[in-house]
C-alpha cells in the first residue's frame, strides 16, 4: 500500500489494500486446506500399507484442520514470527524435499510403465464433457497464478533485507533465481505427473494416491508440506496482522486492552514474553475463522484457482505496471505505454477466465458436498 501511495495515491491505495488483505486471508484458508489434506494423506498411506490396499481408508479432514488451526493459534502469538532468520531456510528445504520427491515419483512411474500417457490437448472428451474441460482449463490458469503468489508479500520481504547492496538489487537477483528454479520444478512435476497418469492424474501428486509406494517416501513428502505450510501461513498473515493491530492502536490510543504489553516471565533464563491482550484475542479469532471456512469448503483446487485469479491481475500486473509507468514517466500513447496496457489487459482477461472456471468448480463440488463430512 505504501508503494502504491508513493507512486499513484488516491483511491488506488485503498483498493490495493483491500485486494491484498482479502487475498492474504484467502491464502490462510488455502494453506489450512492444503496442510490438512497432506496430514490426511499420511494417515491414508499408512492405512493402505497396513491393509495391503484392501481398505479404502476414507478419512475425514476436519480433525486435521482443527489440529492445524491449534498450531497456528500458538505460532500466531510469537511476536515478529516472520523475522526469524532460519524460517526461510526451513521453508526452502521443505519445498525442495517434497518437490523433488514428487518429481522423482513421476519419473519413476514413467520409467516403470515405459510409456508417456496423456496428450498435448489434455484430458479426453468423454472422461469429462467439453464444458467441464473448458472450466478446468480456466481453473488451471488460476492455479498457475497462485503458484507465483509471492508477489503479495514481495515488498514486505524486500523490507527485511539488509543493505548494502541496495535492497532492490538483492531482490531482483533473488526474484530472477527463485522464479527460474521454481518454474523448472513446476514444469517438470506437472509434465512428468501427467505423463505418468494421463487423464487419471490426481489433482495433487502427493495426496491423490496415484502413488501408493514407497509409502514412507510419501509420508516424508507430506510431512515436508505440512512443516512448510505451518510457517508459510504465519509469514503470509503477518502483513494482515500488523495492519489490523496498527490501525486499532491508531484509533484507540488510550486503550490498555489494545496497547498495553504485559511481561510474562519465562523459566530457563529466557527473555520475558511480551503479552498483548488484543493480539491474543484478534489473532486467535482470525485463525478460528479461517479454520471454520476451510472446513466448510475444503475444495483445494477450486480455492487455489479463485485466490490465484483474484490476486494475479491487480497485485502482480496492474499496480506494478502503473507504478512503473509513473516512475519512468512513460508518455501516454507511446509504443511502450500501449505495450504495457496490452499486457495488463491480456492478464485481466486471463484472471477473469480463471475466476469463472474456479467458481464453476466450487458450484459443482457443492452439489455433492456435505459440510464437516469431507473424506479422502
Amino acid at each position: 500500500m505504501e508503494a502504491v501511495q508513493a507512486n499513484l495515491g488516491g483511491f488506488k491505495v485503498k483498493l490495493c489494500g483491500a485486494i491484498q488483505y482479502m487475498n492474504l486471508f484467502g491464502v490462510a484458508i488455502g494453506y489450512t486446506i492444503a496442510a490438512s489434506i497432506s496430514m490426511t494423506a499420511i494417515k491414508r498411506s499408512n492405512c493402505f500399507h497396513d491393509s495391503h490396499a484392501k481398505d479404502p481408508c476414507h478419512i475425514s479432514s476436519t480433525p486435521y484442520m482443527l489440529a492445524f488451526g491449534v498450531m497456528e493459534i500458538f505460532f500466531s502469538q510469537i511476536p515478529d514470527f516472520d523475522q526469524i532468520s532460519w524460517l526461510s531456510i526451513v521453508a526452502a528445504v521443505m519445498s525442495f524435499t517434497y518437490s523433488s520427491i514428487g518429481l522423482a515419483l513421476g519419473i519413476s512411474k514413467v520409467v516403470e510403465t515405459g510409456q508417456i500417457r496423456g496428450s498435448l490437448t489434455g484430458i479426453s472428451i468423454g472422461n469429462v464433457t467439453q464444458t467441464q474441460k473448458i472450466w478446468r482449463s480456466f481453473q488451471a490458469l488460476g492455479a498457475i497464478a497462485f503458484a507465483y503468489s509471492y508477489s503479495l508479500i514481495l515488498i514486505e520481504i524486500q523490507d527485511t533485507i539488509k543493505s548494502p547492496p541496495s535492497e532492490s538489487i538483492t531482490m531482483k537477483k533473488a526474484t530472477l533465481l527463485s522464479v527460474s528454479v521454481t518454474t523448472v520444478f513446476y514444469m517438470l512435476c506437472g509434465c512428468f505427473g501427467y505423463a505418468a497418469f494421463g487423464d487419471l492424474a490426481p489433482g495433487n501428486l502427493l495426496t491423490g494416491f496415484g502413488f501408493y509406494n514407497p509409502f514412507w517416501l510419501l509420508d516424508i513428502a507430506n510431512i515436508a508440506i505440512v512443516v512448510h505450510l505451518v510457517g508459510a501461513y504465519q509469514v503470509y498473515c503477518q502483513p494482515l496482522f500488523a495492519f489490523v493491530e496498527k490501525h486499532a492502536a491508531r484509533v484507540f490510543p488510550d486503550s490498555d486492552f489494545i496497547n498495553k504489553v504485559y511481561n510474562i516471565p519465562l523459566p530457563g533464563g529466557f527473555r520475558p514474553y511480551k503479552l498483548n491482550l488484543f493480539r491474543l484475542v484478534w489473532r486467535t479469532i482470525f485463525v478460528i475463522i479461517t479454520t471454520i471456512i476451510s472446513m466448510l469448503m475444503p475444495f483445494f483446487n477450486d480455492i487455489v484457482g479463485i485466490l490465484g485469479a483474484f490476486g494475479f491481475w491487480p497485485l502482480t500486473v496492474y499496480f506494478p505496471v502503473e507504478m512503473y509507468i509513473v516512475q519512468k514517466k512513460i508518455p501516454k500513447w507511446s509504443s511502450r505505454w500501449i505495450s504495457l496496457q496490452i499486457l495488463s489487459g491480456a492478464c485481466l482477461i486471463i484472471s477473469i477466465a480463471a475466476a469463472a472456471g474456479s467458481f464453476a468448480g466450487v458450484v459443482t463440488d457443492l452439489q455433492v458436498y456435505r459440510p464437516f463430512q469431507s473424506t479422502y
Side-chain angles (χ1 to χ4, degrees):
M1 287 176 69
E2 291 174 3
V4 174
Q5 175 72 63
N7 291 279
L8 302 177
F11 172 73
K12 291 180 180 179
V13 179
K14 293 183 179 180
L15 179 63
C16 170
I19 295 171
Q20 182 186 18
Y21 294 128
M22 286 177 65
N23 216 277
L24 291 174
F25 178 77
V27 168
I29 295 170
Y31 283 176
T32 302
I33 297 170
S36 70
I37 291 173
S38 286
M39 288 189 277
T40 305
I42 295 170
K43 180 71 173 178
R44 286 192 72 196
S45 70
N46 287 280
C47 174
F48 274 125
H49 178 73
D50 294 339
S51 67
H52 304 287
K54 294 178 182 178
D55 187 339
C57 300
H58 292 306
I59 298 169
S60 172
S61 64
T62 299
Y64 297 95
M65 289 188 187
L66 290 172
F68 185 80
V70 170
M71 283 191 288
E72 294 305 338
I73 288 174
F74 172 76
F75 285 117
S76 69
Q77 298 306 318
I78 299 177
D80 300 322
F81 188 90
D82 58 316
Q83 304 291 330
I84 299 175
S85 58
W86 48 262
L87 193 63
S88 293
I89 297 173
V90 172
V93 171
M94 294 300 105
S95 296
F96 187 77
T97 298
Y98 63 72
S99 298
S100 299
I101 291 173
L103 176 58
L105 290 173
I107 294 173
S108 65
K109 189 74 172 180
V110 172
V111 172
E112 177 188 332
T113 58
Q115 59 179 324
I116 296 176
R117 296 173 178 169
S119 68
L120 290 176
T121 57
I123 191 168
S124 306
I125 302 298
N127 292 325
V128 295
T129 65
Q130 189 167 3
T131 302
Q132 287 174 325
K133 182 171 180 175
I134 292 172
W135 289 132
R136 288 189 182 188
S137 299
F138 288 165
Q139 183 190 97
L141 294 174
I144 293 169
F146 180 81
Y148 292 94
S149 60
Y150 71 94
S151 59
L152 287 173
I153 56 171
L154 185 147
I155 295 177
E156 280 81 1
I157 292 172
Q158 181 172 310
D159 191 46
T160 67
I161 295 174
K162 295 179 180 179
S163 61
S166 168
E167 294 93 335
S168 61
I169 293 175
T170 303
M171 202 64 187
K172 283 180 180 178
K173 292 179 181 178
T175 302
L176 177 61
L177 177 62
S178 61
V179 169
S180 300
V181 171
T182 52
T183 299
V184 169
F185 263 103
Y186 289 154
M187 292 298 293
L188 289 174
C189 287
C191 291
F192 274 103
Y194 185 52
F197 299 105
D199 290 352
L200 300 177
N204 185 323
L205 285 178
L206 297 172
T207 63
F209 287 86
F211 305 112
Y212 294 96
N213 286 300
F215 79 100
W216 55 268
L217 192 60
L218 285 170
D219 287 352
I220 292 173
N222 282 297
I223 289 170
I225 291 174
V226 174
V227 172
H228 183 192
L229 293 182
V230 166
Y233 181 106
Q234 291 300 322
V235 171
Y236 270 80
C237 289
Q238 289 302 314
L240 180 54
F241 289 159
F243 171 75
V244 172
E245 287 156 19
K246 288 179 181 177
H247 182 72
R250 189 166 57 248
V251 175
F252 304 102
D254 300 321
S255 170
D256 286 346
F257 174 72
I258 292 174
N259 298 292
K260 190 171 182 178
V261 175
Y262 301 89
N263 289 319
I264 308 297
L266 298 175
F270 292 100
R271 287 183 300 176
Y273 174 73
K274 297 184 181 299
L275 173 66
N276 176 266
L277 293 178
F278 178 70
R279 184 181 67 206
L280 174 65
V281 174
W282 137 246
R283 294 190 182 190
T284 300
I285 291 173
F286 175 88
V287 175
I288 290 173
I289 291 173
T290 58
T291 304
I292 291 174
I293 294 175
S294 300
M295 290 189 292
L296 287 171
M297 299 180 62
F299 316 131
F300 178 68
N301 286 356
D302 299 329
I303 297 299
V304 161
I306 291 172
L307 292 173
F310 182 70
F312 173 65
W313 178 71
L315 299 179
T316 307
V317 182
Y318 175 73
F319 286 119
V321 165
E322 291 301 309
M323 288 190 289
Y324 178 79
I325 289 173
V326 171
Q327 282 186 339
K328 299 297 182 181
K329 297 181 174 60
I330 298 173
K332 204 170 187 178
W333 303 112
S334 64
S335 58
R336 179 179 287 190
W337 185 90
I338 292 173
S339 298
L340 289 170
Q341 296 304 326
I342 291 173
L343 169 66
S344 183
C347 291
L348 173 60
I349 293 171
I350 291 172
S351 287
I352 293 172
S358 300
F359 278 113
V362 169
V363 171
T364 301
D365 290 337
L366 285 174
Q367 292 174 353
V368 296
Y369 173 68
R370 297 293 179 270
F372 304 108
Q373 298 177 15
S374 57
T375 58
Y376 295 92

